């Protein structure tokens, strides 16, 4: 039996070969911390139960190793998304294209011309980097990239609508998720919210009377107001509803010398209806309708890194770029490099081939079925040993990420009929990398649509392990 007195000393532990390995892997100070931590723990255990089993040098070192691994393991790591939700906000939204990752890698490894003009050798502007791509793709006069779309909305309103009236339809005062409420952000910017219409109906005349009222209330005729149009993103308005077309709202807004800001949310650059989904308003359509400012996310349907993209009239963008908040929410070099690479895919008309999010939407039922079947065949070996029933079922994938509410795409799923689905889901999450699946009718469902091809091997290894156990 070990006693407190013959517990190995730190010095003697440090003499061992295992300790040398730990120091090489984790550094000396942290290894010392871990050894002290483990010894302290043992001393405490001795106090409460002096008859604990013998404590060997080896066991102390292996406990120290577990501790060091726990301390140095990142809490953020890759998972396998088998949920069939393409833009899963909790799972990090859009996976990036190879070219995007390469671009982000190359500017972060070394120095870059982030704010350096290679022509003149003088200070340049970080704002130019994705700007010309966005101009080419959308026809906008000017563009600005910020941290995310939430900060884009806050910045636009702070720069253009502070202390001014901002007119918005009641049906668009939505909460996007994660506590982002359009009315709260509007208030935060110092704008005065003017709600028009009812929850389900808004007419052009509602906009018109609010615009008229603004003119009446203004001391000077030059005070413009702002009309905000926000995409409802995550819910559908159905039934007895009415909403004017954007181009008509723009028209009336301009008649009153006011500005129209369109928060598109997802901001697709392509028509989602070609994948059998509802039509999501595109950036190009908003431009055509005449919106003065348009903002959208980089990591929703666009399929790029987290970013907020603001495009529109140069005079307005110039004002936005000069606002102090612009500095606080600016995009970093990896974002600018990555976003440029993603946008280039659109310019080269190769989005469907290169951008994972678009590729996932474009998968055919035949492709999905053959992947699910390949998984089932591969698992065949393990199944003989367990009593889990495995089938291919038809089911639905969704877009998610606050895009296209209620919209789904037919898919084929690998379905596992296990005894306790919740326990099995938990075991899946304990794999390395963790596998995130869903349950329906007491079955585990895995959707090939959102599993990246390079993760299929790891998925099958994880599943086989669990099915054999
Ligand atoms: C998602 C969304 C936002 C927030 O965008 P983030 O990029 O997540 O900050 C704002 N407005 C609308 C309409 C959205 O759909």
């Amino acid at each position: 039996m070990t006693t407190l007195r013959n517990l190995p000393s730190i010095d003697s532990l440090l003499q061992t070969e295992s300790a040398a390995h730990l120091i090489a892997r984790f550094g000396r100070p942290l290894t010392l911390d871990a050894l002290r931590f483990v010894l302290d723990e043992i001393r405490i255990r001795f106090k409460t139960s002096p008859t604990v089993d013998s404590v060997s040098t080896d066991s102390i070192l292996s406990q120290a190793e577990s501790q060091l691994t726990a301390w140095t393991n990142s809490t953020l790591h890759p998972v396998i998304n088998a949920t069939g939700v393409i833009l899963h906000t909790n799972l990090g939204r859009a996976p990036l294209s190879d070219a995007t990752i390469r671009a982000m890698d190359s500017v972060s490894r070394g120095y870059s011309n982030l704010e350096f003009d290679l022509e003149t050798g003088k200070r340049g502007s970080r704002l130019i980097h994705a700007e010309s791509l966005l101009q080419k793709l959308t026809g906008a006069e000017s563009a600005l990239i910020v941290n995310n779309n939430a900060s884009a909305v806050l910045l636009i309103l702070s720069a253009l609508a502070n202390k001014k009236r901002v007119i918005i339809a009641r049906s668009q005062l939505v909460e996007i998720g994660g506590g982002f409420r359009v009315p709260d952000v509007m208030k935060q910017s110092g704008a005065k919210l003017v709600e028009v219409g009812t929850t389900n109906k808004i007419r052009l005349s509602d906009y018109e009377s609010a615009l008229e009222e603004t003119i009446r209330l203004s001391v000077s005729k030059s005070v413009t107001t702002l009309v905000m149009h926000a995409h409802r993103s995550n819910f559908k308005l159905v039934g007895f509803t009415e909403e004017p077309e954007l181009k008509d709202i723009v028209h009336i807004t301009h008649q009153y010398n006011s500005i129209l800001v369109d928060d598109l949310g997802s901001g697709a650059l392509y028509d989602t209806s070609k994948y059998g989904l509802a039509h999501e308003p595109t950036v190009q359509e908003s431009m055509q309708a005449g919106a003065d400012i348009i903002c959208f996310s980089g990591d929703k349907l666009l399929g790029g890194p987290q970013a907020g993209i603001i495009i529109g009239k140069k005079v307005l963008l110039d004002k936005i770029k000069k606002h102090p908040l612009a500095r606080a929410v600016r995009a970093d070099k990896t974002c600018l490099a990555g976003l440029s690479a993603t946008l280039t895919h659109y310019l080269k008309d190769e989005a469907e081939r290169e951008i994972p999010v678009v590729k996932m939407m474009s998968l055919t039922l035949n492709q999905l079925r053959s992947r699910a079947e390949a998984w089932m065949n591969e698992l065949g070996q393990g199944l003989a040993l367990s009593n889990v029933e495995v089938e291919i079922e038809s089911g639905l994938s969704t877009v998610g990420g606050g895009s296209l509410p209620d919209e789904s795409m037919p898919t084929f799923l690998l379905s596992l009929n296990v005894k306790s689905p919740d326990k099995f889901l938990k075991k899946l999450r304990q794999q390395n990398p963790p596998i995130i699946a869903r349950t329906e009718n007491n079955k585990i469902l895995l959707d090939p649509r959102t599993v990246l091809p390079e993760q299929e091997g790891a998925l099958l290894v994880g599943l086989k392990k669990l099915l054999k156990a």
Side-chain angles (χ1 to χ4, degrees), residues 60-73:
I60 293 172
L61 285 161
S62 102
Q63 285 177 62
E65 183 176 5
S66 311
Q67 199 57 48
L68 285 162
T69 309
W71 281 342
T72 53
N73 252 2

Side-chain angles (χ1 to χ4, degrees), residues 89 93 147-153 172 174 176-177 180 182 228-234 263-267 280 295-300 306-309 401-403:
T89 297
R93 288 199 188 151
N147 181 57
N148 58 9
N149 192 32
S151 53
V153 175
Q172 294 170 11
V174 296
I176 307 301
F180 178 90
V182 172
M228 174 96 185
H229 189 265
H231 184 44
R232 264 189 300 278
S233 297
N234 52 7
D263 172 11
L264 272 178
S266 216
E280 174 87 2
C295 62
F296 50 100
S297 292
D299 55 352
K300 289 187 180 170
Q306 179 189 303
I309 300 166
S403 311

Side-chain angles (χ1 to χ4, degrees), residues 87 266-270 272 280 297-304 346 355 357-358 361 399 403-404:
L87 292 167
S266 216
L269 288 172
Y270 50 92
T272 46
E280 174 87 2
S297 292
D299 55 352
K300 289 187 180 170
L301 285 169
L302 192 79
Y346 287 100
I355 301 177
V357 164
V358 189
M361 269 186 273
V399 177
S403 311
L404 297 159

Side-chain angles (χ1 to χ4, degrees), residues 40-197:
D40 282 350
E41 231 181 27
I42 293 168
R43 286 195 191 95
I44 290 166
R45 264 196 291 142
F46 263 118
K47 272 188 200 146
T48 51
S49 70
T51 56
V52 286
D53 297 339
S54 74
V55 185
S56 66
T57 299
D58 277 353
S59 90
I60 293 172
L61 285 161
S62 102
Q63 285 177 62
E65 183 176 5
S66 311
Q67 199 57 48
L68 285 162
T69 309
W71 281 342
T72 53
N73 252 2
S74 167
T75 56
L76 180 62
H77 34 74
V79 305
I80 296 174
N81 175 11
T83 63
V85 183
I86 297 177
L87 292 167
H88 202 304
T89 297
N90 303 146
L91 303 184
R93 288 199 188 151
L96 301 175
S97 78
D98 289 336
T100 302
I101 293 162
R102 277 199 304 274
M104 294 171 98
D105 180 277
S106 71
V107 295
S108 45
R109 264 170 206 283
Y111 299 102
S112 64
N113 62 335
L114 179 65
E115 290 185 356
F116 185 78
D117 187 331
L118 291 169
E119 196 70 42
T120 62
K122 299 216 171 76
R123 189 194 163 135
S125 163
R126 73 171 62 213
L127 303 181
I128 62 159
H129 294 296
E131 184 161 27
S132 55
L133 281 167
L134 284 163
Q135 286 166 334
K136 255 208 165 66
L137 281 166
T138 65
E141 289 175 8
S142 183
L144 173 65
I145 314 298
V146 293
N147 181 57
N148 58 9
N149 192 32
S151 53
V153 175
L154 180 63
L155 173 62
I156 293 165
L157 294 177
S158 303
L160 303 180
N162 187 25
K163 299 199 176 73
K164 286 186 187 165
R165 285 158 55 93
V166 173
I167 298 165
I168 185 166
R170 285 203 169 79
S171 57
Q172 294 170 11
L173 286 171
V174 296
E175 173 168 328
I176 307 301
F180 178 90
R181 292 183 162 183
V182 172
D184 292 344
V185 178
M186 291 175 78
K187 277 182 207 139
Q188 185 65 38
S189 69
K192 290 182 206 147
L193 199 64
V194 180
E195 301 172 25
V196 293

